[in-house]
Amino acid sequence: MNDQTSTVLRTEHTGLTVASINGVLDFWTEVLGFQLVYRKELGGGHAMEQVVGVSGAYLRNALLEGPDGYRVELIEYDSPEDRVILKQRPCDVGSAHLTFAVTDLRAMLNRMAPYGWTATGEPQTAPSGTIMVYTRGPDGHTIELMQHPE
């Protein structure tokens, strides 16, 4: 049976699990220009375990909003204890990336560097004139930067 009664209304946010919200909040607010909407502690318990599908989950989060209203949720888990930092390559199934249009790609790379973000290669210019490059952060996330021609 094909149920067409449920549809997507809008994009709410993209969630990124980080080692430490305090450790990345300045990057998101000062470098990328996102505004902090709220911070919450979302204690453990059965309901949270059911939402995230992780037994023993205890977490806190911060919701940030970009210049265009796009929202990113940063999530820091305190438990379970066996968490790991994944450093997937863009070609690995399950890998994802965010893409941000910037005014000056090289200047943004310079601003990101002190926070542990590095380009994965040299910025490239597409036939359209758009300059682009992937960057990798200390928590394993990938952000693509795009500078469109004026």
Side-chain angles (χ1 to χ4, degrees):
M1 181 176 170
N2 189 3
D3 186 355
Q4 297 294 320
T5 60
S6 182
T7 61
V8 173
L9 298 175
R10 68 185 161 274
T11 301
E12 287 290 329
H13 65 266
T14 298
L16 301 175
T17 302
V18 298
S20 165
I21 289 174
N22 290 337
V24 300
L25 201 52
D26 285 349
F27 170 76
W28 283 90
T29 58
E30 295 176 18
V31 175
L32 298 179
F34 279 64
Q35 298 294 314
L36 179 63
V37 176
Y38 65 74
R39 287 181 75 159
K40 292 183 182 176
E41 192 158 317
L42 302 169
H46 180 73
M48 186 53 59
E49 290 178 357
Q50 291 300 306
V51 170
V52 300
V54 177
S55 180
Y58 186 90
L59 58 110
R60 60 187 55 82
N61 73 345
L63 188 68
L64 303 164
E65 187 170 273
D68 62 350
Y70 182 74
R71 290 181 167 200
V72 172
E73 177 187 28
L74 304 176
I75 307 164
E76 174 187 346
Y77 284 81
D78 282 342
S79 63
E81 293 297 320
D82 62 345
R83 299 175 316 282
V84 298
I85 295 177
L86 298 176
K87 301 242 178 178
Q88 295 177 322
R89 301 169 301 164
C91 62
D92 293 333
V93 175
S95 176
H97 71 274
L98 299 175
T99 303
F100 298 129
V102 298
T103 56
D104 185 329
L105 187 139
R106 293 203 182 271
M108 183 58 75
L109 288 173
N110 290 335
R111 291 181 66 193
M112 294 169 79
Y115 294 87
W117 286 79
T118 58
T120 60
E122 287 296 318
Q124 299 296 303
T125 304
S128 66
T130 298
I131 306 167
M132 63 196 95
V133 71
Y134 275 21
T135 63
R136 261 343 247 295
D139 286 336
H141 301 119
T142 300
I143 292 177
E144 180 181 11
L145 301 176
M146 298 182 92
Q147 179 183 332
H148 298 290
E150 294 181 17

